[in-house]
Amino acid sequence: MAREQLTVRGIVQGVGFRPFVFRLAREQALSGWIRNDGEGVTMELQGGHAELDGFAERLLAERPPLARIDQVLRQPLAEQAGAQGFAILESAAGGGHAAIGADSCVCDACLAELFNPANRRYRYPFINCTDCGPRYTLVERLPYDRAQTSMAAFAQCPSCLAEYRDPLHRRFHAEPNACPHCGPGLALYDVNGPVAGDAVAETVKRLQRGEIVAIKGLGGFHLACDARDASAVARLRQRKAREEKPLAIMAANPASLAGLAGLSERSERLLRSPQRPIVLLPKTDVCDAELAGAAPDVAWLGAMLPYTPLHYLLFHEAAGRPAGMDWLAEAQPLLLVMTSANPHGEPLITRNEDARALLPELADAVLEHNRDIVTRCDDSVLRVGCHGHAQFLRRGRGYTPCAIGLSRGGPSVLALGAHLKNTLCLTRGNEAFLSQHIGDLDRVANCRALEAAAEHLQTLLATRPAFIAHDLHPDYYSSRLGRELAERLRLPALAVQHHHAHIAAILAEQQCDDAVLGLALDGVGLGDDGGAWGGELLLVDGAHFQRLGHLATLALPGGDRAAREPWRMAAAALHSWGDDAVIASRFPGEPAARQLANWLNQGKAQTRTSSLGRLFDAAAALLGIAERASFEAQAAMRLEGLAERRGLPAKPPRLHSIDASNTLDLSPLLRRLAEGMAPADGAALFHACLIEALADWAAQAARRHGLRRVACGGGCLQNAILARGLHAALGRRGLSMLQARLAPAGDGGLALGQAWVAQRHFNP
């Protein structure tokens, strides 16, 4: 006989780990106990040596589907005489290694009960078990116990409590466990107050007659309407002031998307995954006609499947309430627009009273429930990238707050992220916890949301930072907050250059500690020289970087206004080769064109930029694709969409030059576009020539510095054509490409890079 203590770290709370261990210990004839604590879970086991070894092997091989085991520590103990049975003890506080799992979609076992008329949870919108349901969005602190979640307000009925206490039941210690008798309930409101009748049935009726309904999900409210109703979609856009930005679609199953979007095996796996993200799928030729206004002028449709029982009930109601689950394998006609419910630019709404305040300006009705959302969390957005891996455009529900493993540990760093698409990052040992998407920090409410997210993540992880990291730009709110926190907490702070952080984020998730070349390609970031960088060739070695080269600069007429008015960048390009005289005639619809041409011609002091994002804008405007943009990167997305449909030329001409100072000049390419060609042909040519130019640029530097790996990051790498084209072009030159996989390539992953740089700066 022997006795030992096992400490298991990872995602082992709220995922059915204790009942799994209980059953496993019984099968291995072991006595002892297990409990949640600040380390994760701790257990003591006593039995034969072979049985203990078998337990340890099976612990890893047979863990619950939502669990993640990062470390198992085994320590021998003195044998206890007379030890019998196995118990699950009350949770203990303390420690600093516990983690909470992300929210997960409702599992098949719960769905089978949801659609079984004989089951006591038939059509209950909050059905869940230890294998599914909310986690991160309802927990306030660890250990993960019901009393520390928003379910604390709901006392379990005797039937639910019996399941909750039964170690052999799949709802054993399922903290959100509930039923119609004791759990949360639904309510539908319109401008006249509560709506009588079945809330789900009434909601579906309203959606089918063209109304817009705010629907409460796991991490916030969605605005929903019938995606096939063009007038309803147009009205939603008008109310939300979202003129052209693509809207996400929810379908009952992949079969319901047939004919509208292309589904690969990998993209369908992503759609069906427990995380249930929005997945960008290539649109078919009929998509825009069938879903008018959903995703105009782009090549991709953002689609997701239901992930809460309530979502499934909406489709179930529309299908006529069939018994069983067979209907879920059949195409369903109902498709719903599901976009975040918030006033333009504000954070996602989470409170019922705030959702009702949307009536009638944004929504015609509100479908709410009385389970509080503790943590706001937007849907994640992914696409299938090179070689079939998932590429994040936005990291949120389903993936937050799962840790990203680092190559080494060190004191904790709190990194405050970027100004746009903000996220923050908190490190703990050799793990980095990237927050959910917070948004652009040009609104006070988003700034407050950043502060709240920083405090909540520290509380949840029981970790306080030793260092602060923020962007180099002193006027970003995230930078100001970083400096204020550092001063208040008396901590050292580090300002990290924007493009250094982009490359560092890739090295962090790839656990790469070697020096690499970096192609940092985005819209804008403050450079060390005070300039507006955005097309940078860097040599990155831990906390240090060297700017080896950059794109030839263009004037930035109007500063930030140029990003909203791409014609300005086209004017700057025309000016760069002396065609000021044609600017006004080229853009007759722009009243400021003549004045801008004169201003450029007079050579007045002007900001210049090396931004690749602004070159995309210039190309789109020169081709007549987009002279103005209603949302960030719209011109680039239109350019990408046309090129995707057209296909790239196999052997593009060389339309770039690299001078002795390692400046990459793409003006020959822009000049070719300005000479006139079909927009689709020009979009394809631009992408093909750009890819070859960037690969030549990197290869030349690689030979000079003896490096073989190129990390490619920044918002421009969220362009699928550019990402896969660079991967192939660098490969043809004998170089390997590192790119973002676990975090967005754009500003949504910047905090991870800031934290990684700060770790190495303060703890070399």
Side-chain angles (χ1 to χ4, degrees):
M1 296 283 287
R3 187 176 185 89
E4 62 184 29
Q5 182 185 82
L6 272 69
T7 301
V8 184
R9 296 172 179 169
I11 299 176
V12 290
Q13 294 189 20
V15 291
F17 197 79
R18 288 174 299 171
F20 158 69
V21 167
F22 180 92
R23 292 189 292 270
L24 190 56
R26 289 181 56 168
E27 291 172 13
Q28 293 292 123
L30 299 172
S31 62
W33 54 263
I34 183 175
R35 70 182 177 203
N36 283 344
D37 57 29
E39 297 295 313
V41 298
T42 299
M43 65 190 85
E44 290 188 9
L45 299 162
Q46 183 166 305
H49 290 282
E51 285 75 16
L52 286 168
D53 289 341
F55 176 92
E57 291 175 6
R58 293 181 64 189
L59 188 75
L60 296 172
E62 302 173 21
R63 64 187 182 277
L66 298 182
R68 192 193 75 214
I69 297 176
D70 296 331
Q71 187 179 40
V72 179
L73 302 175
R74 297 177 66 179
Q75 179 181 354
L77 298 173
E79 182 182 339
Q80 290 186 3
Q84 291 183 351
F86 193 86
I88 296 175
L89 305 184
E90 292 294 319
S91 298
H97 293 280
I100 185 65
D103 294 354
S104 177
C105 73
V106 58
C107 69
D108 286 347
C110 284
L111 284 179
E113 295 175 344
L114 185 68
F115 301 128
N116 179 3
N119 191 277
R120 72 187 187 95
R121 290 188 175 88
Y122 175 60
R123 298 185 70 247
Y124 182 56
F126 306 96
I127 191 170
N128 70 89
C129 68
T130 53
D131 291 336
C132 70
R135 300 290 188 273
Y136 178 59
T137 53
L138 58 70
V139 66
E140 294 176 349
R141 63 186 63 85
L142 294 177
Y144 178 66
D145 290 322
R146 190 181 182 100
Q148 303 194 120
T149 73
S150 57
M151 286 299 295
F154 301 95
Q156 296 182 78
C157 67
S159 296
C160 286
L161 199 57
E163 298 168 338
Y164 183 83
R165 290 174 173 171
D166 182 358
L168 301 180
H169 199 284
R170 82 173 199 279
R171 292 193 172 93
F172 177 74
H173 276 264
E175 305 305 348
N177 187 39
C179 75
H181 301 293
C182 63
L186 291 178
L188 182 66
Y189 286 81
D190 63 14
V191 290
N192 299 313
V195 176
D198 184 290
V200 171
E202 291 299 319
T203 296
V204 171
K205 288 177 185 176
R206 288 171 177 262
L207 290 168
Q208 289 176 332
R209 64 175 182 244
E211 291 191 20
I212 298 165
V213 182
I215 299 174
K216 193 172 185 179
L218 292 182
F221 280 80
H222 286 110
L223 288 177
C225 72
D226 186 344
R228 298 185 189 274
D229 186 334
S231 62
V233 175
R235 195 161 57 256
L236 187 153
R237 285 192 176 280
Q238 185 272 326
R239 290 184 180 184
K240 199 181 173 185
R242 186 166 174 162
E243 298 174 13
E244 296 174 295
K245 192 174 183 180
L247 299 167
I249 303 300
M250 180 177 282
N253 49 36
S256 303
L257 295 167
L260 300 172
L263 273 171
S264 66
E265 180 182 346
R266 177 56 178 154
S267 60
E268 184 167 342
R269 265 205 314 275
L270 272 178
L271 279 173
R272 292 184 181 276
S273 69
Q275 294 83 7
R276 290 292 162 92
I278 297 169
V279 181
L280 297 192
L281 305 172
K283 293 194 306 190
T284 65
D285 293 338
V286 302
C287 183
D288 286 335
E290 293 285 328
L291 305 177
D297 300 323
V298 296
W300 307 88
L301 177 69
M304 61 177 162
L305 303 186
Y307 54 86
T308 70
L310 177 55
H311 294 150
Y312 274 101
L313 288 174
L314 295 174
F315 290 99
H316 183 244
E317 183 70 29
R321 299 191 186 181
M325 293 177 63
D326 289 348
W327 69 278
L328 275 175
E330 303 165 358
Q332 301 298 321
L334 180 64
L335 296 173
L336 296 175
V337 165
M338 284 284 198
T339 188
S340 56
N342 57 298
H344 183 67
E346 297 286 320
L348 183 65
I349 284 172
T350 59
R351 302 194 311 164
N352 293 341
E353 51 267 40
D354 293 336
R356 280 182 232 160
L358 299 177
L359 300 168
E361 284 78 14
L362 279 180
D364 300 307
V366 173
L367 180 60
E368 65 179 53
H369 57 74
N370 56 341
R371 183 180 69 198
D372 289 342
I373 296 171
V374 173
T375 303
R376 175 184 291 110
C377 202
D378 261 314
D379 296 315
S380 296
V381 183
L382 296 96
R383 76 186 335 154
V384 177
C386 300
H387 295 295
H389 74 263
Q391 179 186 22
F392 280 96
L393 280 76
R394 185 171 74 200
R395 195 173 193 263
R397 179 194 50 76
Y399 297 91
T400 302
C402 297
I404 296 173
L406 304 174
S407 62
R408 69 184 204 194
S412 176
V413 176
L414 175 64
L416 279 305
H419 181 68
L420 301 178
K421 298 180 175 64
N422 178 269
T423 63
L424 62 91
C425 182
L426 182 66
T427 68
R428 187 181 68 180
N430 64 345
E431 296 177 312
F433 295 85
L434 196 63
S435 79
Q436 68 275 20
H437 170 82
I438 292 167
D440 298 347
L441 301 182
D442 52 4
R443 299 293 180 101
V444 172
N446 288 341
C447 295
R448 300 288 87 83
L450 171 62
E451 296 171 8
E455 186 59 36
H456 179 65
L457 199 55
Q458 292 174 67
T459 299
L460 192 62
L461 299 175
T463 299
R464 295 293 169 180
F467 307 109
I468 302 291
H470 57 80
D471 193 86
L472 182 63
H473 199 301
D475 296 330
Y476 286 171
Y477 179 76
S478 54
S479 299
R480 296 202 303 272
L481 177 61
R483 294 194 301 271
E484 290 169 9
L485 287 173
E487 183 176 354
R488 187 191 332 145
L489 302 174
R490 298 183 179 179
L491 300 176
L494 179 69
V496 182
Q497 199 280 322
H498 191 91
H499 300 94
H500 184 194
H502 271 314
I503 303 306
I506 298 167
L507 302 183
E509 67 158 83
Q510 302 276 344
Q511 300 189 3
C512 175
D513 293 315
D514 300 329
V516 300
L517 289 177
L519 277 175
L521 311 169
D522 66 358
V524 69
L526 183 67
D528 283 352
D529 60 359
W533 293 9
E536 313 304 316
L537 180 60
L538 309 177
L539 193 159
V540 176
D541 189 0
H544 307 285
F545 83 97
Q546 179 184 353
R547 191 190 195 196
L548 301 179
H550 57 82
L551 297 183
T553 62
L554 284 177
L556 190 63
D560 291 343
R561 191 171 181 179
R564 302 187 298 274
E565 300 179 20
W567 73 270
R568 291 175 175 267
M569 292 310 304
L574 292 166
H575 165 73
S576 71
W577 58 75
D579 271 356
D580 303 86
V582 306
I583 293 174
S585 59
R586 186 114 190 184
F587 304 108
E590 297 296 341
R594 188 173 301 280
Q595 180 183 355
L596 180 59
N598 292 335
W599 183 78
L600 288 168
N601 192 40
Q602 291 168 11
K604 293 188 177 178
Q606 55 195 245
T607 301
R608 299 186 67 83
T609 182
S610 58
S611 166
L612 180 60
R614 300 292 76 80
L615 284 187
F616 270 93
D617 291 342
L622 288 170
L623 290 167
I625 294 169
E627 293 182 7
R628 287 179 173 258
S630 63
F631 62 90
E632 186 191 12
Q634 181 181 19
M637 290 171 65
R638 286 183 175 179
L639 204 66
E640 179 191 6
L642 287 172
E644 191 73 50
R645 292 190 181 97
R646 173 66 175 80
L648 304 194
K651 294 183 179 180
R654 181 184 173 93
L655 293 173
H656 68 272
S657 64
I658 304 171
D659 67 14
S661 64
N662 210 23
T663 299
L664 174 60
D665 186 0
L666 292 166
S667 59
L669 172 57
L670 294 179
R671 195 162 187 172
R672 176 69 65 87
L673 302 183
E675 291 171 357
M677 61 177 61
D681 292 341
L685 180 69
F686 177 79
H687 281 84
C689 292
L690 173 63
I691 289 164
E692 293 301 313
L694 293 172
D696 283 347
W697 195 31
Q700 181 174 297
R703 289 192 298 271
R704 184 179 302 126
H705 294 276
L707 298 172
R708 309 305 303 167
R709 288 191 285 185
V710 185
C712 299
C716 292
L717 267 297
Q718 293 183 327
N719 179 309
I721 299 175
L722 180 61
R724 67 174 179 254
L726 263 179
H727 187 274
L730 290 170
R732 291 194 296 269
R733 290 160 175 81
L735 303 175
S736 61
M737 175 177 165
L738 303 178
Q739 58 183 314
R741 297 190 180 188
L742 303 179
D747 284 0
L750 201 76
L752 174 62
Q754 292 171 346
W756 188 86
V757 171
Q759 268 194 338
R760 281 148 181 76
H761 175 85
F762 291 115
N763 187 35

